[in-house]
Amino acid sequence: MIKLTNTWGGQKQLLVPIRPGHIGMYVCGVTVYDLCHLGHGRTFVAFDTIVRYLRFSGYNVKYVRNITDIDDKIISRARETGEIWQMLVARMTHEMHQDFAALNILPPDVEPKPTEHIQQIIAMIERLIQRGHAYITREHDVMFSTETARDYGKLSGQNIVNLRSGARVSVNTEKNNPLDFVLWKAAKAGEPCWDSPWGAGRPGWHIECSAMNSYHLGTHFDIHGGGSDLIFPHHENEIAQSTSAHDGPYVNYWMHTGMVTVEQEKMSKSLNNFLTLRDMLQQYDGEVLRLFYMTGHYRKPLNFSRDNVDAARSSLTRLYSVCRLACGSPSAQHEQWQARFQQAMNDDFNTPKALAVLFDLARLINQTLVSDPDGAAALAATLKQLGNVLGLLCREPEEWLQSNPLWDQSQLNTIAARVKEREEARQNHEWARADALRLWLEEQGVELEDKGGKTHWKVR
């Protein structure tokens, strides 16, 4: 049975779906005004892994991950670049999909956008007004009244009295309460807008998610996730809106990922340590970054450093080297190893423990290779299958072992040709030529292994 830590209450709880065998899951996605950063990669690899494991465990998962395609940042960036805002959104969405594909993040079942759900957003705001949870200002903004929401602040553990007294009321004199937040923004000159009962305008950020997840998953669903930076105010405000608009419960389990630091410091443009996924994917294979993200528990902070990512690459190379032995059906010990793997993942999707199981298995394979090559090959098939559950080890081992993000196809072809030449020289007993080719290949960062009359090679 799977247990997960519910941010609501902070306790580890048994996963009990609303509908047996089915799970509805919503994760707050990217605001597409710029390239994704390392933190985005961490969050969406984590939830992709969780969805993969839930499906592996037999659940029918409907996974909804939105894209925020209208926002102050999008409007501002479009002005800076001179683009039509829709073109900026389309371009950045394409870039996001490219980066996510490189990390082997599967597409969600539904990827809704606020601009495609204006009707649902307006309907939800109307319902909140009718039920006395929202009001219209003199400027024709629609505000949510936090004083009318039950349990406001419980998700984040915020002291609402302290928040209210510390808020700057002067920020918006139209508010009844400094903690109230906007549901509908009245149109400003030159900004995108849609017609509504309160005049032209556009939705606020928080209402977008509430309207979209209730439309695609119903007003009560199983899991809602996102980065820990969204707990307050975004998810707190989602809860307030959704429970005020609809009777009954909203979300059973709230899940949040920890932040990524860079060399133990918060990632920030002001500190000049802001790293985009695109930057990293030009230096590291996406599967290396995926494994790096899994070396920390999804709920904990994760520190990025070159040493940590290099270690992840070495670890992945070790696993692929063993997978090269895989042949035939999984081992007779498959169920035993799968049980250990599931025990780790059932404990709040503990990927560090699950990876430890894979490395224990890889160690056993290497130990039994000489005495029982067939058994080692079957165990390697088990290793590959379990790695696939995490979205790892999905490529042919040779493809991985012979890959280098700094090489183009021409360089790769040259390396392969030199390896073949050396193999032919050895077969012809041209030892001096073979040694010269080996030296040249080693200088290029290639590691050679001569075994069974054949040469295997990989990037060092």
Side-chain angles (χ1 to χ4, degrees):
M1 301 293 284
I2 296 173
K3 290 185 176 181
L4 55 82
T5 299
N6 191 348
T7 308
W8 184 279
Q11 299 297 312
K12 197 177 288 186
Q13 299 175 351
L14 193 66
L15 175 60
V16 181
I18 297 167
R19 289 176 57 208
H22 295 259
I23 289 178
M25 180 171 172
Y26 183 90
V27 172
C28 290
V30 178
T31 301
V32 284
Y33 74 99
D34 204 347
L35 292 172
C36 293
H37 55 68
L38 275 181
H40 289 130
R42 200 279 169 90
T43 291
F44 299 113
V45 163
F47 284 109
D48 176 72
T49 304
I50 289 166
V51 170
R52 285 173 183 265
Y53 185 71
L54 290 171
R55 288 174 175 156
F56 169 77
S57 300
Y59 291 104
N60 185 337
V61 181
K62 183 175 182 180
Y63 180 31
V64 182
R65 189 190 72 210
N66 77 297
I67 291 173
T68 298
D69 67 343
I70 186 64
D71 175 85
D72 289 342
K73 293 177 180 177
I74 291 171
I75 294 169
S76 176
R77 182 57 55 85
R79 285 174 177 162
E80 291 173 13
T81 62
E83 288 178 273
I84 299 171
W85 68 271
Q86 293 97 326
M87 296 299 292
L88 172 67
V89 165
R91 181 166 64 86
M92 287 295 105
T93 299
H94 174 72
E95 300 295 342
M96 178 195 76
H97 286 153
Q98 277 196 317
D99 289 346
F100 285 8
L103 293 170
N104 200 19
I105 296 173
L106 298 174
D109 298 301
V110 186
E111 196 170 48
K113 301 175 182 177
T115 60
E116 298 169 353
H117 293 76
I118 296 297
Q119 178 182 343
Q120 289 81 14
I121 292 169
I122 289 174
M124 192 170 196
I125 295 173
E126 286 184 309
R127 186 172 177 82
L128 287 167
I129 293 173
Q130 291 166 3
R131 301 188 108 189
H133 294 288
Y135 56 93
I136 305 167
T137 71
R138 289 174 297 179
E139 300 296 326
H140 302 288
D141 294 327
V142 182
M143 306 297 296
F144 182 85
S145 174
T146 55
E147 288 186 335
T148 69
R150 66 178 187 270
D151 293 329
Y152 190 75
K154 187 171 181 179
L155 177 73
S156 56
Q158 299 278 358
N159 185 314
I160 302 305
V161 174
N162 291 345
L163 280 175
R164 188 179 295 119
S165 62
R168 293 171 56 206
V169 181
S170 60
V171 169
N172 188 334
T173 55
E174 294 285 302
K175 290 183 179 183
N176 292 347
N177 182 306
L179 294 182
D180 293 352
F181 56 89
V182 67
L183 300 172
W184 187 263
K185 296 183 178 184
K188 294 180 181 179
E191 289 189 352
C193 61
W194 290 262
D195 291 332
S196 81
W198 321 285
R202 57 187 171 90
W205 177 34
H206 311 302
I207 193 67
E208 295 171 347
C209 284
S210 287
M212 289 187 292
N213 58 46
S214 65
Y215 180 72
H216 289 285
L217 294 172
T219 58
H220 180 207
F221 57 94
D222 298 287
I223 298 173
H224 194 317
S228 58
D229 58 322
L230 300 182
I231 296 174
F232 188 87
H234 184 52
H235 288 163
E236 197 77 73
N237 290 350
E238 267 195 67
I239 293 169
Q241 297 163 157
S242 296
T243 55
S244 297
H246 308 288
D247 298 318
Y250 173 37
V251 171
N252 282 4
Y253 305 95
W254 288 87
M255 301 180 70
H256 293 93
T257 55
M259 295 293 98
V260 175
T261 58
V262 177
E263 302 290 356
Q264 304 295 346
E265 289 190 307
K266 181 179 178 180
M267 189 168 64
S268 167
K269 289 183 179 178
S270 63
L271 295 175
N272 199 31
N273 66 354
F274 188 85
L275 300 175
T276 68
L277 275 177
R278 188 61 51 85
D279 292 334
M280 293 299 98
L281 288 168
Q282 289 173 351
Q283 301 171 51
Y284 296 98
D285 186 276
E287 194 170 354
V288 171
L289 292 177
R290 186 179 181 94
L291 177 60
F292 161 68
Y293 286 131
M294 291 183 189
T295 58
H297 191 279
Y298 77 90
R299 295 181 61 246
K300 305 296 183 183
L302 181 68
N303 183 55
F304 172 88
S305 71
R306 303 285 175 179
D307 288 345
N308 289 346
V309 182
D310 287 340
R313 191 188 198 290
S314 297
S315 297
L316 192 57
T317 297
R318 191 156 71 250
L319 292 177
Y320 265 118
S321 295
V322 175
C323 285
R324 191 163 56 186
L325 306 169
C327 183
S329 301
S331 164
Q333 302 177 41
H334 179 83
E335 290 186 7
Q336 168 192 332
W337 284 98
Q338 181 172 301
R340 285 185 58 187
F341 176 83
Q342 288 183 273
Q343 183 181 21
M345 289 298 288
N346 285 349
D347 183 16
D348 201 13
F349 308 101
N350 195 320
T351 55
K353 286 187 178 179
L355 289 173
V357 173
L358 298 189
F359 288 114
D360 284 348
L361 178 53
R363 191 177 301 112
L364 175 63
I365 293 167
N366 283 324
Q367 290 170 352
T368 59
L369 180 58
V370 175
S371 60
D372 183 10
D374 290 340
L379 284 170
T382 291
L383 174 64
K384 186 169 175 61
Q385 282 196 13
L386 295 179
N388 289 173
V389 176
L390 301 177
L392 299 171
L393 308 178
C394 299
R395 288 182 276 186
E396 289 299 319
E398 296 296 335
E399 177 192 345
W400 162 257
L401 294 169
Q402 296 172 6
S403 66
N404 185 329
L406 302 180
W407 290 349
D408 59 24
Q409 190 60 46
S410 174
Q411 289 170 296
L412 181 60
N413 291 342
T414 299
I415 295 294
R418 295 292 182 270
V419 172
K420 186 176 181 181
E421 285 179 33
R422 178 182 173 278
E423 197 169 8
E424 291 171 351
R426 282 170 53 80
Q427 291 169 356
N428 295 331
H429 304 291
E430 300 174 26
W431 306 119
R433 180 165 171 254
D435 287 345
L437 285 165
R438 182 186 190 100
L439 180 61
W440 182 87
L441 287 163
E442 288 176 347
E443 289 172 349
Q444 310 311 308
V446 172
E447 187 175 312
L448 298 166
E449 181 182 13
D450 298 314
K451 183 180 292 185
K454 186 170 178 60
T455 298
H456 296 279
W457 70 274
K458 62 184 179 182
V459 175
R460 189 184 307 116

